[in-house]
Amino acid sequence: MNSFKHHTKEEKMQAFGRLLDVQDRLRNECPWDRKQTNESLRPNTIEEVYELCDALMKCDDKEICKELGDVMEHVVFYALLGEEKESFDITDVCDKLRHKLMFRHSFIDWTGWEGDPKSELAEAPIDSSEVEMTWEQMKQKEKDGNKTVLSGVPAALPSLIKAYRIQDKARNVGFDWKHKEDVWDKVREELGELEVELNKEDVENSTRELGDFIFSIINAARLYHLNPDNALELTNQKFINRFGYVESKCKEMGKDLKDLTLEDMDKLWNEAKNFDR
């Protein structure tokens, strides 16, 4: 039976207040918390975000709830560090986010709301793609917004995700293929250029062409509304599961993986594929 309980806005605010109280006390009384800085917390933050991503991929609601809490704790901690430096606090974080959301959604009438952007009501977008295009235009108008279209892509993003975001941001200002089917000519062109350099055994140029080929594949995925990072992770998990099957069967036979021929491994691999189906 689902034991989920809907909480009132007041209950949510009280819960968040209790979290702030706990974080304040930890900062004062816990030796580990006392010594933390932005720099020391950063690696842990990255790890927590990836753990959340793992839970999201597995659609594990219990783990998603837990990992969201871990990420939120880092948000609260960074805000506390900002408060100690008298730079900003969690109120400023929430207000900046609220103002940004209201400003970028100018097609919604915020009249009477605190922080009303007082902007002229824009025409309502017809779909989510139009919303994204509107966002890019609004970012250029913000006081502390992105100075260029691609400056909003974090440098530290993993390369595959960064490539997708770069392409998506360019699309939002009209830089895209007119017909998605045309992308396959580019994919084939980049594959051909990669094969030429590989045949020359030119490592430096082959690396560049491999990057161009991967970039074109990511572009194709985007045009067909597929998430390449999610797709690759599904394949990673599929390979791990199938390879794990091969390893376990090998142990059952009392053999080491190195003792198996390629034909033996292929046979076990095909068995694993049948289990997937």
Side-chain angles (χ1 to χ4, degrees):
M1 180 181 290
N2 189 347
S3 59
F4 174 74
K5 174 191 174 185
H6 286 278
H7 295 93
T8 64
K9 181 179 177 180
E10 184 178 349
E11 287 173 326
K12 294 172 185 176
M13 293 175 70
Q14 289 173 348
F16 190 65
R18 290 192 292 268
L19 172 62
L20 295 179
D21 291 339
V22 168
Q23 189 61 61
D24 284 342
R25 188 168 178 183
L26 289 175
R27 180 64 171 171
N28 288 317
E29 300 180 28
C30 172
W32 186 88
D33 282 71
R34 278 202 303 265
K35 73 175 188 177
Q36 297 311 309
T37 64
N38 285 341
E39 293 75 18
S40 67
L41 278 174
R42 181 177 177 274
N44 300 60
T45 306
I46 294 170
E47 182 178 341
E48 295 297 354
V49 171
Y50 274 109
E51 288 179 358
L52 171 60
C53 290
D54 285 342
L56 292 168
M57 282 295 294
K58 295 173 184 172
C59 295
D60 187 329
D61 288 338
K62 185 177 179 181
E63 280 299 301
I64 291 172
C65 181
K66 171 181 171 294
E67 299 302 341
L68 279 172
D70 291 343
V71 171
M72 185 184 296
E73 195 270 342
H74 280 248
V75 173
V76 169
F77 207 149
Y78 287 120
L80 180 57
L81 295 178
E83 184 175 0
E84 290 173 358
K85 292 185 291 183
E86 297 186 348
S87 178
F88 63 89
D89 63 14
I90 194 66
T91 303
D92 299 312
V93 172
C94 292
D95 281 343
K96 276 184 172 292
L97 175 59
R98 177 170 55 85
H99 292 155
K100 180 171 70 175
L101 291 173
M102 293 169 74
F103 182 77
R104 291 187 184 174
H105 293 78
S106 57
F107 53 89
I108 293 176
D109 187 359
W110 298 108
T111 303
W113 283 60
E114 183 181 354
D116 174 11
K118 299 288 191 298
S119 57
E120 193 173 320
L121 194 62
E123 185 177 344
I126 59 172
D127 55 28
S128 60
S129 294
E130 279 200 11
V131 172
E132 290 175 7
M133 290 181 182
T134 301
W135 284 344
E136 291 303 328
Q137 295 164 8
M138 298 301 288
K139 287 175 188 177
Q140 305 294 312
K141 297 178 183 177
E142 289 172 358
K143 182 179 178 182
D144 56 351
N146 301 330
K147 298 299 181 283
T148 66
V149 172
L150 299 183
S151 63
V153 180
L157 272 182
S159 297
L160 194 151
I161 299 173
K162 186 191 291 186
Y164 188 95
R165 292 296 295 133
I166 288 170
Q167 295 167 4
D168 203 40
K169 282 184 171 290
R171 172 189 68 85
N172 286 334
V173 293
F175 189 79
D176 204 2
W177 297 91
K178 186 173 290 186
H179 305 291
K180 63 183 179 182
E181 296 82 5
D182 296 340
V183 74
W184 296 114
D185 288 334
K186 187 63 175 175
V187 171
R188 284 186 282 268
E189 175 190 328
E190 297 297 352
L191 177 58
E193 292 176 1
L194 171 59
E195 288 176 333
V196 168
E197 297 304 329
L198 288 172
N199 289 333
K200 292 179 184 176
E201 298 186 355
D202 186 324
V203 175
E204 188 174 339
N205 281 334
S206 292
T207 301
R208 291 195 183 96
E209 294 301 341
L210 176 60
D212 290 347
F213 175 63
I214 294 172
F215 195 84
S216 69
I217 287 290
I218 294 170
N219 214 351
R222 177 187 60 80
L223 288 163
Y224 283 84
H225 307 293
L226 301 174
N227 186 305
D229 188 63
N230 289 348
L232 183 58
E233 181 55 26
L234 287 171
T235 297
N236 288 340
Q237 292 303 318
K238 182 167 61 177
F239 186 93
I240 290 170
N241 292 337
R242 290 178 182 177
F243 198 81
Y245 178 89
V246 173
E247 279 189 295
S248 64
K249 284 296 181 180
C250 189
K251 287 179 181 177
E252 287 178 16
M253 295 186 290
K255 294 183 179 181
D256 190 279
L257 273 174
K258 295 178 181 177
D259 297 332
L260 297 183
T261 65
L262 186 57
E263 288 75 18
D264 291 334
M265 286 190 181
D266 279 341
K267 182 179 179 183
L268 291 174
W269 186 266
N270 288 327
E271 287 180 15
K273 286 173 67 175
N274 289 330
F275 279 110
D276 283 345
R277 298 192 187 103

